[in-house]
Amino acid sequence: MGKKYTNYLLLAPALILLAIFTIGPLIYTIYLSFFDWNMISPTKTFVGFENYTELFQSETFRKIIFQTFQYIILFVLLNTVVTYIFAYIIAHLIDRWKPIYKAAIFTPSVISLVVGSMLFLWILNPVSGPVATVLGWVGLSIPNWTVTEGTVIVVLSLIVAWKVFGYNFIVLYSGIVGIPNEIIEAAKLDKISKFRIFTDIIIPMSSATGFYILIMTIVQGLQYVFTPIRVVTQGGPNYLSSNLIYHSYQEAFDLFNTGVSAASSVITLVIFVALLALQFLFVERNVYYEN
C-alpha cells in the first residue's frame, strides 16, 4: 500500500503542472466559447452556441479551415515524405561526408523562426532580393508572393519546413540506420532496386519512427507556422495566409472577440483530435514494431 501511494506522490508534480497549464486552460477555453466577452469588461454575456454559429456561417472562417488543410498537406510532403527520402539517401546511398551533410541539414533547427522568416523575406524580396536579382539577369522575375493567393501559403510552409526539416531528418535517419544492415545487403545481392529497397524494406521497418514524425509534423508544423504568419503577413492579404491557430489569436488579441476566439480554438482542437484518430485508425495499424 505504501508503494502505491509513493507512486502517486511521485506523479503528483507532473499531474499538477498538467492540470494547471493544460487541462485548466482547456476547460476555461471551452467555457469562454459560450460567452461574448472582450477581455476588458468585468462581465461576460452568455450567448450559447452563437459563437460557433457565427464561425460556421462565415465564409472567411471556412476559407481558413481549407487553408489549414493546405498547410497540413504541404507540411506532410515537405517534412515527412521529402525528409524520409533525404534520410534514406544519406544513410544508404552516400558513402562520403555524411557528418557534413547531417550537420548542414540540422543547422536550421537551432535558428529562430523569427530570424528565418526575416531571412526568407529578404532572399525572396521580389524587387531587391538575391533570387530576384539572379532571375533578372535572364529576364525573369518572381511575384510579390506575400500578397499572392496560394503562393504565400507555399512560401510560409517552406519557411517552417526549413526550420523543422533538420530535426525530422535526424530522427528518421536514426530509425533507418537502426535497420539491420544484413537485410539491406541481402536485398542488394538479390539485385533489388534502390527504389524497392526504400519502399519495401526501409519504410516498413522504420514505420514506427515515421508515424511519430507524421504526428509531430501535423501538430508542431501548424504551431510553428504561426511565427512566419505573424512576422511576414499578419494573416493577410484578406486572410489568404491565415490558419486556424493564427485566426484564434487574431480574434482574441487583435479584435478582442474572446468568445469567438475560444470557439475557434475548440474547433481547432476537434479537428486535430479527429486527424490523430484517423491516423491511429488507418496508419498506426500498419506500423511495424520490432518488439
Side-chain angles (χ1 to χ4, degrees), residues 28-79:
Y28 190 58
T29 299
I30 296 172
Y31 165 79
L32 287 177
S33 70
F34 297 105
F35 289 85
D36 180 19
W37 184 46
N38 61 7
M39 288 195 295
I40 299 173
S41 173
T43 60
K44 307 178 185 71
T45 304
F46 180 77
V47 294
F49 288 95
E50 186 177 315
N51 291 324
Y52 293 94
T53 303
E54 177 183 338
L55 284 172
F56 283 114
Q57 289 178 345
S58 169
E59 183 179 348
T60 297
F61 186 71
R62 293 196 296 270
K63 178 173 68 176
I64 288 172
I65 292 177
F66 176 71
Q67 289 170 183
T68 300
F69 281 98
Q70 286 182 301
Y71 278 116
I72 289 173
I73 292 170
L74 287 170
F75 289 145
V76 170
L77 289 175
L78 294 171
N79 287 117

Side-chain angles (χ1 to χ4, degrees), residues 1-272:
M1 185 65 69
K3 183 178 180 181
K4 176 182 177 181
Y5 287 113
T6 301
N7 294 337
Y8 286 123
L9 184 64
L10 293 173
L11 286 172
L15 294 175
I16 291 171
L17 291 175
L18 183 66
I20 293 174
F21 294 105
T22 302
I23 299 174
L26 172 61
I27 295 173
Y28 190 58
T29 299
I30 296 172
Y31 165 79
L32 287 177
S33 70
F34 297 105
F35 289 85
D36 180 19
W37 184 46
N38 61 7
M39 288 195 295
I40 299 173
S41 173
T43 60
K44 307 178 185 71
T45 304
F46 180 77
V47 294
F49 288 95
E50 186 177 315
N51 291 324
Y52 293 94
T53 303
E54 177 183 338
L55 284 172
F56 283 114
Q57 289 178 345
S58 169
E59 183 179 348
T60 297
F61 186 71
R62 293 196 296 270
K63 178 173 68 176
I64 288 172
I65 292 177
F66 176 71
Q67 289 170 183
T68 300
F69 281 98
Q70 286 182 301
Y71 278 116
I72 289 173
I73 292 170
L74 287 170
F75 289 145
V76 170
L77 289 175
L78 294 171
N79 287 117
T80 302
V81 177
V82 176
T83 310
Y84 234 129
I85 294 171
F86 268 69
Y88 169 60
I89 290 173
I90 294 179
H92 290 288
L93 303 185
I94 292 178
D95 296 323
R96 301 178 61 188
W97 302 329
K98 286 186 180 183
I100 296 176
Y101 291 130
K102 288 187 287 185
I105 291 174
F106 184 76
T107 298
S109 298
V110 301
I111 298 176
S112 165
L113 255 179
V114 175
V115 175
S117 300
M118 298 304 295
L119 182 63
F120 271 80
L121 197 60
W122 169 67
I123 292 174
L124 298 177
N125 187 301
V127 177
S128 58
V131 175
T133 301
V134 172
L135 290 177
W137 295 341
V138 293
L140 299 176
S141 62
I142 60 175
N144 188 359
W145 56 271
T146 58
V147 294
T148 304
E149 182 176 2
T151 305
V152 64
I153 291 179
V154 173
V155 176
L156 292 177
S157 298
L158 286 172
I159 296 172
V160 178
W162 173 80
K163 162 74 175 178
V164 178
F165 193 94
Y167 171 79
N168 289 5
F169 165 80
I170 290 298
V171 174
L172 284 171
Y173 179 86
S174 301
I176 289 173
V177 297
I179 298 173
N181 198 50
E182 295 83 359
I183 299 175
I184 309 297
E185 293 302 323
K188 290 179 180 178
L189 289 174
D190 289 336
K191 298 183 179 179
I192 304 297
S193 68
K194 294 179 176 64
F195 177 78
R196 285 197 58 197
I197 290 176
F198 178 62
T199 57
D200 296 348
I201 298 176
I202 298 296
I203 291 179
M205 295 195 70
S206 62
S207 55
T209 306
F211 183 62
Y212 163 76
I213 290 298
L214 177 62
I215 293 175
M216 297 303 292
T217 295
I218 294 174
V219 176
Q220 288 189 340
L222 287 177
Q223 292 176 339
Y224 285 154
V225 80
F226 173 90
T227 300
I229 291 175
R230 186 64 179 172
V231 171
V232 178
T233 66
Q234 293 80 51
N238 193 27
Y239 298 99
L240 289 177
S241 63
S242 187
N243 73 344
L244 284 170
I245 293 176
Y246 186 81
H247 185 66
S248 297
Y249 168 86
Q250 199 170 36
E251 287 287 344
F253 299 104
D254 290 344
L255 303 176
F256 297 100
N257 295 327
T258 307
V260 175
S261 172
S264 176
S265 299
V266 172
I267 293 169
T268 304
L269 175 64
V270 171
I271 290 175
F272 276 145

